[in-house]
Amino acid sequence: AAPGPRDHLVWAIFNTLYMNFCCLGFVALAFAVKARDRKVSGDVEAARHFSSKARCYNALATAGSVVLPLLLGALVVTGVIHLSKLAQESVGFFTYQFSGSDDEDQ
């Protein structure tokens, strides 16, 4: 008696509640529930199919919810660094120094 396929229900609930990127957590939850229903009814092949889909959508939801905020944070940091360098370079362009001697007249 081999154990049935995993349904990934806890992972799907976590993705649905905390990291629901583009509703992928909800889709993973639907497939996880289908996998659990098929496992309980004894249809191991359908349970394995739905379990695979639930795992795929859970992985996508987790990756999207972790990678996208990190990417957005990196873009903000690099944008701030670029703007600060640009501001420092433009300060010299916009400042006009008044001096008592003209170097052009000599």
Side-chain angles (χ1 to χ4, degrees):
R6 297 183 60 188
D7 54 13
H8 308 288
L9 186 63
V10 175
W11 190 14
I13 291 171
F14 178 76
N15 278 332
T16 302
L17 294 178
Y18 295 109
M19 299 188 306
N20 198 8
F21 173 70
C22 290
C23 296
L24 290 176
F26 183 72
V27 174
L29 180 65
F31 280 114
V33 169
K34 283 183 179 184
R36 179 165 282 196
D37 288 344
R38 297 302 188 268
K39 186 168 68 170
V40 168
S41 69
D43 189 2
V44 178
E45 190 60 36
R48 188 173 289 121
H49 174 72
F50 288 129
S51 173
S52 173
K53 290 221 182 252
R55 184 180 62 233
C56 179
Y57 282 115
N58 276 323
L60 287 173
T62 303
S65 296
V66 170
V67 170
L68 285 179
L70 289 177
L71 182 65
L72 182 63
L75 286 174
V76 167
V77 167
T78 56
V80 166
I81 290 171
H82 178 70
L83 287 176
S84 68
K85 286 182 181 179
L86 186 65
Q88 288 174 355
E89 291 172 0
S90 65
V91 165
F93 180 75
F94 287 114
T95 56
Y96 182 74
Q97 295 180 355
F98 294 102
S99 62
S101 64
D102 287 334
D103 291 334
E104 297 173 0
D105 293 339
Q106 294 176 359

